[in-house]
């Protein structure tokens, strides 16, 4: 959310189940808001992401392998419900797409982009690799897929790590 606040989104909403993490996130959001008042406000909702209603309008959903397959399936159902309303575009950005096959199986979502994104020099050593895989799906948008959007997702550590083949 902190990085997303650097871009001109109308609003940014984070959903977290843990009450202690919600409190920490809200403190961080308040600090960011004081330092960068021109950025969109960060709203941290406490709740189950699989039950969260996606607000009206266009949306970008960011995931970094946050859930197991069962919860991912429920999140996808919420996205499909939001798309069914029509008149909106939704993008799902999924870093380390361990359960990407579930998004691929959705009749409402289409692959838009896929790539291995190298860590910046400052980030090397903080993650398990030198790059992260990212896949973006879109729904309701007229945009055409990038050339490598259909890259195969290869699971390197079941439930934990994926890369693009």
């Amino acid at each position: 959310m902190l990085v997303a606040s650097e871009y001109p989104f109308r609003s940014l909403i984070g959903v977290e189940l843990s009450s202690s993490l919600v409190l920490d996130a809200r403190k961080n959001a308040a600090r960011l808001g004081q330092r960068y008042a021109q950025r969109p406000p960060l709203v941290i909702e406490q709740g189950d992401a699989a039950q969260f209603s996606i607000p009206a309008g266009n949306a970008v959903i960011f995931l970094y392998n946050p859930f197991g397959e069962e919860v991912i399936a429920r999140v996808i159902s919420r996205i499909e419900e939001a798309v069914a309303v029509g008149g909106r575009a939704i993008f799902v950005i999924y870093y380390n797409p361990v359960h990407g096959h579930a998004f691929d199986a959705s009749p409402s979502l289409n692959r838009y982009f896929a790539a291995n994104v190298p860590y910046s020099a400052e980030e090397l050593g903080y993650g398990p690799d030198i790059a992260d895989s990212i896949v973006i799906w879109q729904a309701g948008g007229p945009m055409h897929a990038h050339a490598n959007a259909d890259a195969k997702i290869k699971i390197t550590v079941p439930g934990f790590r994926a890369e693009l083949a």
Side-chain angles (χ1 to χ4, degrees):
M1 289 182 67
L2 300 176
V3 172
S5 76
E6 296 176 15
Y7 296 90
F9 290 107
R10 183 181 58 207
S11 65
L12 297 164
I13 303 169
V15 180
E16 174 57 52
L17 189 58
S18 165
S19 58
S20 64
L21 291 178
V22 166
L23 291 174
D24 289 342
R26 287 178 178 161
K27 288 176 189 174
N28 289 337
R31 284 187 203 115
L32 186 78
Q34 290 172 346
R35 187 168 182 183
Y36 301 103
Q38 75 282 7
R39 291 187 184 182
L42 303 180
V43 176
I44 314 300
E45 299 283 342
Q46 183 173 358
D48 181 347
Q51 296 179 7
F52 182 74
S53 293
I54 299 168
N58 297 335
V60 176
I61 299 167
F62 177 84
L63 306 167
Y64 194 108
N65 190 30
F67 314 117
E69 191 164 4
E70 181 182 316
V71 175
I72 284 289
R74 292 178 22 224
V75 168
I76 291 170
S77 291
R78 300 302 284 184
I79 294 167
E80 290 171 340
E81 290 169 9
V83 170
V85 173
R88 66 191 301 184
I90 295 177
F91 286 85
V92 177
I93 302 171
Y94 191 177
Y95 267 68
N96 191 24
V98 172
H99 303 295
H101 62 279
F103 288 93
D104 284 338
S106 170
S108 300
L109 296 162
N110 298 303
R111 288 267 195 114
Y112 173 70
F113 177 85
N116 290 311
V117 178
Y119 294 168
S120 67
E122 304 85 41
E123 296 174 317
L124 288 173
Y126 290 99
D129 297 310
I130 60 170
D132 271 325
S133 298
I134 179 174
V135 178
I136 302 174
W137 286 266
Q138 68 169 333
M143 300 178 77
H144 298 288
H146 287 244
N148 198 34
D150 61 349
K152 181 178 175 2
I153 298 171
K154 177 182 169 189
I155 305 304
T156 57
V157 181
F160 180 71
R161 198 81 183 136
E163 65 183 36
L164 298 176

